[in-house]
Amino acid sequence: MKAHYFQRYTQRENVATANTILLLSRFYQYSSGKFFRFLKENFLADSFEPELSFNLQVKKGQSSSVPDATIEQESFKIVLETKLNGEKFEVNQLIEHLKSFNNEKCKILLTLAPSRMVGKTKNEFESELKDCEKGAFPVIHVNLTFEELSQLIQKTLDERDYEMQDILDDYISYCEYDKLFSDKKNKLFVQLAGKTFDFNIENNLYYNKVSRGETPYGYLGLYKEKSARCIGKVFAKFIANGLEDIQLVDKYGKSIDDERKKECEKKIKLAMKENPDL
């Protein structure tokens, strides 16, 4: 039985917030460098450098009050608001959330839901936001779906980030469980392939451990060396409990004749023999 990083079976909106905060905190603990790169590439201005900076100080004259060097980090704050429907965000509530910011150099209000915030609400809030900006540094409003957040983190990782990939996979599994992702028929999911990439392309087959969990999708992209190398439409899903126990579990709306099914089972057996750890 797979142990989960992220809780289930509680109040949905509260657990969505708690699980997202846990995901971001685990990401920071895993690699602060990649966490800050994720923030800077997707949310922050180019001039903002949240990483630690090491500075030698130049002393002028005979003053003894100037230190030899400093280690510092520019201040930033992320305020998170989650909803189970993009239409449920309220302008007045979001305006109140601005009171959570103080004098940080970077201020991000991140709003998350299974669907994007409706245009009327987003436009009204961002208009209000311009009228009530606090201090010298404005608040950056970032509206994402849970799915988009997962994809942005996925793009920051590479094939060697096994531990963080497990954490992200379980977050995706949680989102699937709680129906926080969009309909799978029109969804593209980009997955790290790494050492299996050539086999996947040659055999038109992607495989992974059942315990890893997955987001539902209708289109699959294979990601290698920091870019998606190919994209294909999913036509069937199998679960293999052993070489002699391979079950067709989802036909994605298409019929599969016995000949095609046997061809798939043959490829699955080959994949299991070539990589027994999966």
Side-chain angles (χ1 to χ4, degrees):
M1 180 177 178
K2 179 179 174 62
H4 294 294
Y5 295 97
F6 301 97
Q7 61 176 315
R8 287 126 166 110
Y9 310 111
T10 55
Q11 295 182 3
R12 292 184 64 210
E13 189 169 300
N14 292 342
V15 77
T17 302
N19 283 348
T20 301
I21 287 294
L22 178 58
L23 172 68
L24 295 174
S25 67
R26 293 296 294 265
F27 189 15
Y28 176 82
Q29 291 167 14
Y30 173 75
S31 172
S32 59
K34 289 191 174 183
F35 177 81
F36 286 134
R37 179 154 60 88
F38 156 76
L39 290 182
K40 187 175 180 181
E41 289 180 353
N42 298 294
F43 307 145
L44 306 180
D46 292 337
S47 60
F48 185 73
E49 297 290 346
E51 297 90 345
L52 288 176
S53 60
F54 298 79
N55 305 308
L56 290 173
Q57 302 294 322
V58 178
K59 294 185 178 182
K60 297 180 179 180
Q62 301 299 317
S63 174
S64 61
S65 64
V66 179
D68 294 322
T70 62
I71 302 173
E72 56 189 305
Q73 182 179 37
E74 296 190 49
S75 63
F76 71 97
K77 188 172 189 176
I78 301 174
V79 173
L80 175 64
E81 176 65 25
T82 62
K83 297 292 184 185
L84 299 181
N85 188 318
E87 298 181 2
K88 298 298 183 180
F89 287 106
E90 298 177 0
V91 173
N92 290 338
Q93 182 187 39
L94 297 177
I95 293 294
E96 284 295 308
H97 288 344
L98 300 181
K99 296 177 181 178
S100 301
F101 296 106
N102 292 302
N103 297 316
E104 298 86 9
K105 185 171 182 180
C106 177
K107 308 168 187 177
I108 300 174
L109 176 59
L110 176 59
T111 50
L112 282 176
S115 57
R116 284 291 191 105
M117 184 183 296
V118 293
K120 181 180 179 181
T121 301
K122 186 174 185 292
N123 293 338
E124 182 180 348
F125 168 64
E126 292 186 346
S127 177
E128 293 283 344
L129 183 60
K130 291 180 181 179
D131 295 334
C132 58
E133 289 177 347
K134 297 179 63 177
F137 305 106
V139 175
I140 301 169
H141 175 222
V142 180
N143 177 232
L144 295 175
T145 65
F146 291 99
E147 183 176 354
E148 289 169 333
L149 176 66
S150 303
Q151 292 172 343
L152 291 177
I153 293 177
Q154 178 76 78
K155 291 178 182 178
T156 310
L157 304 178
D158 59 44
E159 50 263 42
R160 297 180 296 276
D161 293 319
Y162 303 114
E163 180 183 347
M164 188 60 214
Q165 187 65 56
D166 280 342
I167 294 171
L168 179 59
D169 284 346
D170 192 54
Y171 180 79
I172 291 171
S173 176
Y174 151 70
C175 289
E176 176 187 356
Y177 170 86
D178 233 5
K179 296 179 174 59
L180 300 179
F181 281 172
S182 59
D183 179 66
K184 69 182 181 182
K185 293 180 181 179
N186 299 314
K187 180 183 173 184
L188 168 64
F189 182 66
V190 180
Q191 175 65 46
L192 289 171
K195 64 181 181 180
T196 67
F197 181 83
D198 292 337
F199 180 93
N200 298 145
I201 298 298
E202 182 179 349
N203 292 279
N204 197 26
L205 173 73
Y206 172 75
Y207 60 94
N208 207 340
K209 290 182 179 180
V210 174
S211 60
R212 293 287 295 273
E214 65 174 27
T215 174
Y217 51 82
Y219 297 87
L220 175 67
L222 295 184
Y223 184 80
K224 181 182 180 183
E225 297 174 353
K226 301 189 180 300
S227 66
R229 301 290 174 170
C230 70
I231 296 175
K233 184 174 178 62
V234 179
F235 76 90
K237 177 180 176 180
F238 292 80
I239 290 181
N241 297 307
L243 291 173
E244 304 305 323
D245 185 7
I246 301 174
Q247 302 175 18
L248 174 63
V249 296
D250 197 336
K251 295 188 253 187
Y252 285 74
K254 292 186 177 181
S255 61
I256 299 177
D257 58 29
D258 289 341
E259 183 177 351
R260 187 70 184 275
K261 186 170 180 290
K262 288 179 180 178
E263 179 187 351
C264 292
E265 290 174 348
K266 182 179 179 180
K267 291 180 179 180
I268 292 170
K269 289 179 180 180
L270 177 61
M272 295 173 71
K273 290 176 180 178
E274 286 204 0
N275 196 340
D277 293 332
L278 289 177

